[in-house]
Amino acid sequence: MSESSMKKNKVVTTEDILLKLCQSVSGVLSSATSSQITYSAMVQKITKTSLKPDFGCFVLFDGGFSGLVVINFTSKAALEVYTNYMRNMGMPEEELAVLHTSDEVADVLGELMNQLVGNFTNQVRKDLHTHITQNQPKMLALNKQVNLSVDTNLDRPQARRVTFSTDQGNIFYLELAMDKTEFIQLEDFESAEDECPDTILEKAQQKMKSDKETKSEAASGASANDLLDELGI
C-alpha cells in the first residue's frame, strides 16, 4: 500500500470515543428531561476516576475495549435531572421525592445511566464495528470521595473528565477510564441508522408503565387474598 493511501486511513482515538460518550449523555438526558444538558468543549486529563459527593453513578463495560464510566452529581443536579424526568413522564408534583438520598432518585438516575451507556455502546457498535457490553449501573449517595479503579483490567489506562451543565446551571461531571487505544479504519463502510434518544425514552416510558401496572395488579391480588382470608374462604 502506498504512503498516500495509508494517510487516508481514519484513526479513532480515546478522545473520539469520549466525544461519542458525551454526545450520548447529552442527547439521552436532554431528551429524557425535556431540558438542555450541555458539556464543556474542554476535556481534562486525570490520573484516576472517583465517585464524589453528593451522588455518584458508575458502570463498567467490556468487550472490544474495557473501561469505566462514572457520573458525579451535586445534590441539586441530581434532583433537577430526576424531577425533570419524572415531570416529563407525567408524574404528579406532590409524588416527587425532595431529597437526593431518596431511593426514587437512585432508581431514576440508574435507569438514565443504563439508557445513556446503552446508547453509547450502540454508537460504538455502529461506528467502530466492535462490540462492548455493560453491567448494571450502581448508584451511591455519598458524603465522602471514593476512588474507583479498573487499572487491573487495563494495560495502559487513560482517564478523562468532562464538565456538564443542566438547564438551571447545576453541574455534574463525567469521568471515563479506558485503555489507551486507536481504531484504524482500513476500508469504507456504511454506518447503520442511529437509535434516536426519543425512541429510547419511549421504550423507558413503556417499561415504567408496565412495571407500575404489574405492581398494581400484584397489590390488588394481595388485597383480594387478604379479604378472602378474613372471610375464611
Side-chain angles (χ1 to χ4, degrees):
M1 189 179 280
S2 71
E3 192 179 336
S4 61
S5 61
M6 287 278 288
K7 286 180 181 172
K8 290 179 185 173
N9 292 344
K10 182 183 172 188
V11 177
V12 177
T13 64
T14 304
E15 270 63 39
D16 296 315
I17 292 168
L18 175 63
L19 178 60
K20 290 180 193 303
L21 178 58
C22 288
Q23 289 167 343
S24 289
V25 173
S26 175
V28 169
L29 291 186
S30 294
S31 179
T33 59
S34 282
S35 64
Q36 197 66 31
I37 307 283
T38 56
Y39 54 91
S40 167
M42 298 298 290
V43 57
Q44 188 179 357
K45 286 188 176 184
I46 54 176
T47 55
K48 58 190 176 186
T49 50
S50 308
L51 286 175
K52 296 187 182 72
D54 296 303
F55 199 97
C57 305
F58 69 96
V59 61
L60 289 158
F61 59 84
D62 205 0
F65 56 93
S66 300
L68 167 73
V69 178
V70 174
I71 301 183
N72 290 312
F73 292 93
T74 59
S75 56
K76 286 182 177 178
L79 275 171
E80 183 187 341
V81 169
Y82 157 80
T83 304
N84 286 343
Y85 177 70
M86 296 307 278
R87 281 179 185 147
N88 203 23
M89 298 286 272
M91 180 68 73
E93 203 73 26
E94 63 275 9
E95 291 182 29
L96 296 178
V98 291
L99 296 173
H100 76 278
T101 50
S102 300
D103 288 345
E104 295 94 324
V105 176
D107 289 346
V108 163
L109 293 180
E111 175 55 38
L112 289 172
M113 186 99 177
N114 213 18
Q115 290 176 39
L116 63 89
V117 177
N119 182 267
F120 168 64
T121 58
N122 190 49
Q123 288 295 322
V124 164
R125 188 166 56 249
K126 180 177 72 72
D127 296 341
L128 302 180
H129 281 211
T130 191
H131 187 74
I132 58 174
T133 56
Q134 70 194 75
N135 73 352
Q136 196 60 31
K138 307 289 187 295
M139 296 70 61
L140 293 168
L142 298 158
N143 56 15
K144 61 176 71 173
Q145 179 170 317
V146 178
N147 287 336
L148 275 184
S149 172
V150 283
D151 295 6
T152 48
N153 299 334
L154 305 178
D155 296 325
R156 294 182 298 160
Q158 288 193 311
R160 303 284 186 268
R161 180 187 292 136
V162 179
T163 305
F164 281 73
S165 302
T166 67
D167 233 359
Q168 293 173 23
N170 292 313
I171 301 295
F172 62 93
Y173 299 94
L174 168 78
E175 295 184 5
L176 170 69
M178 61 174 284
D179 243 340
K180 180 178 172 65
T181 189
E182 288 184 349
F183 285 85
I184 301 160
Q185 184 178 327
L186 300 177
E187 294 183 358
D188 287 336
F189 58 82
E190 283 189 21
S191 289
E193 288 275 321
D194 277 350
E195 184 171 25
C196 124
D198 289 336
T199 310
I200 297 169
L201 179 62
E202 198 175 320
K203 286 179 185 173
Q205 287 172 331
Q206 287 168 355
K207 182 178 179 293
M208 191 175 269
K209 189 178 177 185
S210 165
D211 289 349
K212 197 177 274 187
E213 284 170 358
T214 305
K215 282 180 187 172
S216 174
E217 283 168 14
S220 63
S223 60
N225 289 335
D226 291 345
L227 180 62
L228 292 174
D229 287 343
E230 281 179 30
L231 295 173
I233 298 172

